[in-house]
Amino acid sequence: MLKSIKQVRDDFSQSGTSIAEWSRDNNFSPDLVYRILKNNKIPQRGESHKIAVKLGIKEQKFMK
């Protein structure tokens, strides 16, 4: 089940894990993760897409 950006932000707040800490633990740029969560627009490609999939706000697309 996909999450909304608000749900992801709430999860971070409830878990006590900072967005920056999660970003570093998953080898992503904290700035890019913050931008995705602030923008309220689901990324379509590249590193932003990978972050969105890892956060659970977008499904992984498999290429043939």
Side-chain angles (χ1 to χ4, degrees):
M1 184 169 139
L2 294 178
K3 296 180 180 181
S4 70
I5 290 175
K6 182 181 181 330
Q7 287 173 315
V8 171
R9 292 186 71 84
D10 290 346
D11 288 349
F12 277 116
S13 180
Q14 291 173 2
S15 72
T17 302
S18 74
I19 295 169
E21 180 182 356
W22 181 90
S23 302
R24 288 188 297 270
D25 289 347
N26 288 281
N27 298 313
F28 295 124
S29 162
D31 288 338
L32 188 53
V33 176
Y34 277 110
R35 277 189 270 154
I36 290 166
L37 294 175
K38 186 177 180 181
N39 193 9
N40 288 326
K41 184 177 176 188
I42 306 298
Q44 298 299 313
R45 59 190 150 292
E47 192 75 3
S48 296
H49 169 79
K50 292 176 188 175
I51 293 167
V53 170
K54 186 77 171 182
L55 288 170
I57 59 176
K58 187 169 185 182
E59 289 182 3
Q60 174 67 50
K61 302 281 184 180
F62 294 101
M63 303 299 284
K64 290 184 177 182

